[in-house]
Amino acid sequence: NQANGGGGAIDANGTTMLIEDSDLDGNATGGSGAAIRADASFVEIRRSSIRNATDSGPAGDREAIWASGNGSMVVTNSTLSGN
């Protein structure tokens, strides 16, 4: 998956989301969050893999997961690699 504005696989805005038993592989963006962009959201990731995410944004502003606003994120029993 690819997105120009952020959130190559998932773009959550002001919501609650559960990502469970998932494999997010090879997602890309030129914005924020190559795999997941979460703005003012609660995101929980369980038993999942986020790998090989590519963010072509400016150096120092590249990430597989981007979270902002009054949200939060919980990651348990998951793997982040090759990002």
Side-chain angles (χ1 to χ4, degrees), residues 7-67:
I10 297 168
D11 188 0
N13 189 351
T15 190
T16 298
M17 180 177 294
L18 172 62
I19 301 167
E20 188 171 45
D21 300 321
S22 299
D23 183 21
L24 303 179
D25 182 19
N27 298 288
T29 190
S32 302
I36 301 170
R37 175 182 170 171
D39 189 14
S41 298
F42 173 76
V43 178
E44 185 172 1
I45 303 169
R46 297 181 196 157
R47 298 182 310 272
S48 295
S49 174
I50 300 170
R51 54 197 177 98
N52 304 316
T54 304
D55 186 338
S56 61
D61 191 26
R62 299 178 184 155
E63 61 282 303
I65 300 172
W66 180 85

